[in-house]
Amino acid sequence: MTADTAGLHDIPRLVSELSLEEKASLCSGADFWHTQAIEELGIPAVMVTDGPHGLRKQVGSTDHLGLHQSVPATCFPSAAGLGSSWDRDLLRRIGEALGAEARANEVAVLLGPGVNMKRTPLCGRNFEYFSEDPYLAGELAAPLVDGVQSHGVGTSLKHFAANNQESDRMRVSADVDERTLREIYLPAFEKVITRSRPWTVMCAYNKINSTYASQDPWLLTEVLREEWGFDGLVVSDWGAVDNRVAGLVAGLDLEMPSSLGVNDARIAEAVRAGELDEAVLDRAVTRVLTLIARSRAAMADPGSFDADVHHALAHEAATRTAVLLKNEGVLPLDASTLTGDIAIIGEMARTPRYQGAGSSQVNPTRLVSALDALTNHGLDLPFAPGYRLSEAAGADGQDRTDAELRDEAVERATGKTAVLFLGLPALDESEGYDREHLDLPRSHRDLLASVAEVASRTVVVLANGSVVTTVEWEHAADAILELWLGGQATGSAAVELLLGAAAPSGRLAESIPERIEDVPAQLNFPGENQIVRYGEGLYIGYRGLDATRVPVSYPFGHGLTYTTFEYSDLEIDTTAVTDETDEDDILVVVGATVSNTGGRDGVAVPQLYVGRPGSAVARPPRELRGFERVELSPGRSQRMEFVLTRRDLSHWDVATHSWVVEPGALELSVGASSRDLPLSTTVEFEAPMNRAPLTAYSTIGEWMENPEAGPALIQAMGDSGKMLGPNSPDPAIAAFFMSMPVVKAPLLGIGDTFTPDDLEALLKRFGRS
Ligand code: BGC
């Protein structure tokens, strides 16, 4: 720390020396990317900038839409790809590289990662998010944050919360019930915050249940700080502030970018008018100054990074994020017979689609196409573009088949193994708007159909940031390799995977449905009248698709490689829950063995799913609660152990607003995807019964479930009581009464002489009147 920033050593004193106007000015940006400086008091400005999979530091004109040029930086696969790696160690190493690049560029906070859920595959920004599953997203984002922050620069976990669509994103209210928020939309944030302590959290644009995230005290203070212990700074998404003073009170510390002084004046005015407690302002200012102080060491010693080493990491990442969806004996391609036998088709082999549009857009240090990579391997293969990219200047839209290009491709592919590079045009998916469909462009599908007719074998290589449906055309492909948006080394990774120099090891972090109509969330998407109701509740992704049992093209967790695996020897060890059991106490240990039964090295990704059949609350059939990434040579096996804590086994109880673990059947399954679970068993799990207190409005059935209150009610009801319960001579009558609130019984003359006073007496003994 230099002498002129020494004041940052004693932040309380510094705050006490600032004028009201100075304090208000620190609560918003100085410009697009910098915090406000107050030079005379030794408060420097710091830079915060995107983004999640590469640095986007603009040097000239600024914007948050990715329009203006930024400094060269390594472009790693976007989160859709990184999510498919299921590789915690890789995420940590990418985080370290991002941290080094941010630091070398004197950027104090990198704006990412984004851990919003892929509620529907139509979200235009899904390429920037990890998964449809909160467990997986949290497990992968946490090491990324650790890696970045290990360099003394911060991260900004975004977009907090329930920002799951781009349509109307700046004002839509995501109306989500409490349990769904707690179990689906908040856990990835919670895990990263409690485990990796990101320096900042970025609040979302949207409202949640009618309140803007940027001014929601429940979200920004109660949950984030009081429950999860977050001690960093909350920054607004760019332009997410509605009422600045309300935001400050709720816990929003820093508004970005600058509001051109408008909101600073409002803050000062509110304090003067006695409408805002100055202590609230001081709290936000303290957090801004703490962030600046925290970054001083790194900013004073930026260091450098090796672009070649980071490019090599981007290449490794791209090989690990690709998912082999299908392979009917065609991959890996046989390099020895290659030259005469193969044709490369598709403009994306020459002009790769490797990142998404919007604020995360990186200016890559280099870019390798598949054609470049083949040339680097000494393979000069016949190529035909097959279609035009709509983003190329003056080109027709990609939906229109160019007959000349198609015919040329067909000629090249005839009798050969055709490797087709297909994917989504950049315009089809972007920050700022949602997708309209899940299809590949018509021209790509037509090209595939024509080429597959004449080619001896057909391999499809896909580049897209969110899923495309495959059901219409996959019969024409002998193999499908999904690259996602693989970053700047996507081409070299694709070639290594195709040639077998690397084996695919990615697994789907999002389901590939057959049709968008199969996705339950579609019934309420993208909403209307500025409201989107999350009516599907917990049932997003595989949770919904598995519950409705619709066929899917490829399930969550799926991914092939060049060898095969077998799972065996499932062993379960459980410990009963007592009143003393803590959230983090381990209650279940699941052991299983995975073996490489094929002929090549490969990576298995064993997954543990938990189901609660017979639960008293709605439950998806199964939920991911553990995974490992295991590298195995042929013939080798490895024993794995998954542990489940009390929290892992709990659901959010809306009556008590807390995590509750139920007794009863616990289904534990281990395997290769949510729909390929060769090991599965159900055990009885012991835990105290969480019964709601009995009231007059509890049903007769609920009274019956209570081992003391049930018999007492039967007795109080005399002869009619004998008709109730498990020993009733008439089960239909017994069932009829089960759902009747007990308060109705004396009024309807049910239970002979059972009177309101009798009920009162029972309530005194067993319940709450
Ligand atoms: C995006 C954020 C991004 C910010 C700054 C916003 O439009 O939603 O994710 O970090 O711009 O570029």
Side-chain angles (χ1 to χ4, degrees):
M1 189 168 302
T2 56
D4 56 337
T5 58
L8 289 170
H9 270 315
D10 188 352
I11 290 174
R13 189 165 147 205
L14 192 53
V15 173
S16 71
E17 286 167 1
L18 292 167
S19 69
L20 176 59
E21 278 69 23
E22 284 169 334
K23 287 194 283 193
S25 77
L26 285 167
C27 293
S28 64
D31 58 23
F32 238 81
W33 304 118
H34 293 90
T35 59
Q36 186 66 51
I38 304 179
E39 306 283 349
E40 33 323 342
L41 289 174
I43 302 173
V46 295
M47 183 172 205
V48 300
T49 197
D50 293 295
H53 54 267
L55 186 72
R56 184 174 69 100
K57 180 183 173 183
Q58 292 181 321
V59 274
S61 308
T62 52
D63 67 88
H64 63 304
L65 306 171
L67 301 177
H68 293 288
Q69 192 67 305
S70 50
V71 298
T74 312
C75 180
F76 292 99
S78 78
L82 296 179
S84 306
S85 73
W86 298 58
D87 188 342
R88 299 173 178 96
D89 172 65
L90 176 72
L91 272 285
R92 159 95 200 187
R93 288 186 289 132
I94 289 176
E96 285 169 7
L98 292 170
E101 294 195 22
R103 182 172 179 156
N105 280 285
E106 294 176 52
V107 168
V109 176
L110 196 70
L111 302 176
V115 290
N116 297 99
M117 290 294 97
K118 302 186 197 217
R119 175 176 175 244
T120 147
L122 286 181
C123 173
R125 215 174 173 184
N126 274 358
F127 67 90
E128 266 194 72
Y129 300 137
F130 292 92
S131 181
E132 64 190 26
D133 181 85
Y135 175 80
L136 181 58
E139 287 291 314
L140 296 179
L144 186 90
V145 168
D146 292 337
V148 175
Q149 296 193 164
S150 70
H151 280 274
V153 299
T155 52
S156 199
L157 190 66
K158 63 191 188 182
H159 306 91
F160 191 53
N163 180 180
N164 308 101
Q165 65 184 52
E166 293 299 283
S167 305
D168 211 9
R169 68 170 171 166
M170 293 187 97
R171 52 173 202 177
V172 74
S173 176
D175 285 5
V176 199
D177 68 85
E178 180 184 339
R179 185 170 164 220
T180 300
L181 271 172
R182 293 293 187 157
E183 292 187 28
I184 302 291
Y185 295 101
L186 296 183
F189 287 98
E190 180 181 3
K191 180 171 285 171
V192 180
I193 285 161
T194 52
R195 222 186 245 184
S196 301
R197 305 188 150 268
W199 289 11
T200 81
V201 164
M202 185 190 293
C203 74
Y205 284 125
N206 50 285
K207 301 177 192 132
I208 302 175
N209 297 324
S210 305
T211 304
Y212 276 108
S214 62
Q215 57 197 53
D216 186 339
W218 171 78
L219 187 73
L220 301 185
T221 296
E222 267 179 57
V223 173
L224 181 64
R225 294 187 187 277
E226 293 168 7
E227 286 185 34
W228 299 347
F230 178 67
D231 59 1
L233 167 137
V234 177
V235 57
S236 71
D237 198 345
W238 269 230
V241 169
D242 185 49
N243 180 328
R244 183 65 186 102
V245 173
L248 213 54
V249 173
L252 171 65
D253 306 304
L254 176 64
E255 171 179 20
M256 284 303 286
S258 156
S259 64
L260 305 173
V262 174
N263 279 334
D264 303 351
R266 286 182 179 148
I267 291 173
E269 184 46 41
V271 172
R272 266 192 228 98
E275 289 158 6
L276 175 67
D277 184 350
E278 195 161 354
V280 170
L281 174 60
D282 289 355
R283 187 181 67 185
V285 171
T286 301
R287 290 180 189 146
V288 173
L289 295 175
T290 305
L291 177 75
I292 295 171
R294 246 177 154 176
S295 65
R296 288 325 293 153
M299 296 304 99
D301 176 19
S304 60
F305 68 94
D306 185 332
D308 290 339
V309 172
H310 286 189
H311 179 75
L313 180 60
H315 169 84
E316 184 193 342
T319 61
R320 289 181 178 222
T321 56
V323 182
L324 182 60
L325 297 175
K326 170 177 179 176
N327 187 18
E328 290 181 350
V330 54
L331 293 180
L333 299 170
D334 183 352
S336 58
T337 59
L338 221 53
T339 329
D341 184 44
I342 305 226
I344 306 294
I345 310 290
E347 182 59 50
M348 284 182 182
R350 178 166 63 184
T351 313
R353 173 114 201 284
Y354 65 100
Q355 66 172 330
S359 63
S360 68
Q361 215 160 343
V362 176
N363 175 17
T365 57
R366 68 186 69 160
L367 180 59
V368 187
S369 71
L371 284 188
D372 298 335
L374 285 165
T375 310
N376 294 343
H377 274 79
L379 294 167
D380 203 4
L381 302 177
F383 165 72
Y387 55 84
R388 283 184 206 285
L389 288 180
S390 56
E391 42 273 45
D396 287 336
Q398 249 163 273
D399 262 343
R400 253 205 15 228
T401 292
D402 181 319
E404 217 172 287
L405 290 181
R406 186 199 50 207
D407 294 349
E408 181 202 8
V410 165
E411 198 187 310
R412 288 276 146 82
T414 304
K416 298 217 163 77
T417 296
V419 182
L420 275 96
F421 284 76
L422 308 177
L424 286 182
L427 286 176
D428 268 28
E429 48 180 355
S430 168
E431 176 182 342
Y433 56 90
D434 288 318
R435 301 169 69 192
E436 286 171 10
H437 56 79
L438 300 184
D439 300 328
L440 282 176
R442 172 52 59 202
S443 63
H444 294 219
R445 285 177 282 154
D446 288 349
L447 178 69
L448 169 62
S450 309
V451 165
E453 259 178 42
V454 298
S456 58
R457 299 176 309 173
T458 304
V459 176
V460 170
V461 181
L462 292 172
N464 41 278
S466 38
V467 293
V468 293
T469 47
T470 59
V471 70
E472 179 198 320
W473 52 262
E474 67 185 313
H475 61 275
D478 299 294
I480 308 174
L481 179 65
E482 171 62 82
L483 300 179
W484 304 110
L485 299 179
Q488 66 183 45
T490 190
S492 52
V495 167
E496 275 198 5
L497 293 166
L498 292 169
L499 299 182
S505 60
R507 301 294 189 275
L508 288 178
E510 53 198 292
S511 314
I512 304 188
E514 287 194 353
R515 309 173 314 150
I516 186 61
E517 292 81 2
D518 294 336
V519 174
Q522 286 314 121
L523 295 172
N524 294 288
F525 174 82
E528 62 222 352
N529 302 323
Q530 298 168 42
I531 294 174
V532 52
R533 217 164 46 79
Y534 286 24
E536 74 289 352
L538 309 170
Y539 297 95
I540 68 163
Y542 67 93
R543 288 170 169 77
L545 297 163
D546 286 356
T548 53
R549 297 197 194 187
V550 285
V552 295
S553 291
Y554 297 100
F556 177 81
H558 168 78
L560 305 171
T561 184
Y562 299 150
T563 187
T564 48
F565 300 104
E566 250 173 47
Y567 294 88
S568 61
D569 303 321
L570 184 67
E571 246 179 325
I572 314 287
D573 189 18
T574 64
T575 307
V577 178
T578 68
D579 291 342
E580 270 76 58
T581 311
D582 283 334
E583 284 242 311
D584 296 336
D585 286 351
I586 293 171
L587 298 177
V588 178
V589 180
V590 180
T593 300
V594 59
S595 311
N596 183 340
T597 49
R600 296 177 61 117
D601 290 354
V603 172
V605 182
Q607 301 153 35
L608 168 70
Y609 292 85
V610 175
R612 298 306 311 261
S615 168
V617 294
R619 300 269 193 170
R622 63 194 64 87
E623 298 183 270
L624 182 74
R625 286 287 183 269
F627 67 89
E628 285 306 328
R629 201 171 180 282
V630 184
E631 286 190 45
L632 287 174
S633 320
R636 301 307 292 257
S637 299
Q638 187 164 317
R639 187 85 190 141
M640 299 151 311
E641 210 174 72
F642 300 104
V643 297
L644 296 169
T645 62
R646 178 190 175 124
R647 169 65 192 272
D648 292 330
L649 297 165
S650 300
H651 70 277
W652 183 261
D653 179 45
V654 293
T656 56
H657 310 290
S658 65
W659 294 104
V660 163
V661 60
E662 278 185 307
L666 182 63
E667 190 180 76
L668 299 156
S669 316
V670 175
S673 79
S674 81
R675 294 197 179 185
D676 177 10
L677 295 166
L679 305 182
S680 192
T681 189
T682 304
V683 296
E684 258 324 283
F685 184 66
E686 283 177 48
M689 181 60 98
N690 167 44
R691 285 204 183 86
L694 291 174
T695 69
Y697 289 86
S698 301
T699 63
I700 290 176
E702 285 159 355
W703 279 75
M704 290 295 161
E705 276 168 20
N706 184 307
E708 283 111 44
L713 178 68
I714 289 180
Q715 200 187 20
M717 285 191 172
D719 279 348
S720 301
K722 292 184 189 137
M723 300 301 289
L724 305 175
N727 302 325
S728 168
D730 189 335
I733 292 197
F736 181 91
F737 284 115
M738 282 299 116
S739 62
M740 178 180 284
V742 76
V743 70
K744 306 279 180 190
L747 307 177
L748 294 174
I750 299 159
D752 302 328
T753 57
F754 185 59
T755 64
D757 287 345
D758 294 332
L759 175 56
E760 206 45 50
L762 285 174
L763 285 168
K764 278 209 180 86
R765 280 174 67 196
F766 300 108
R768 233 173 31 200
S769 43

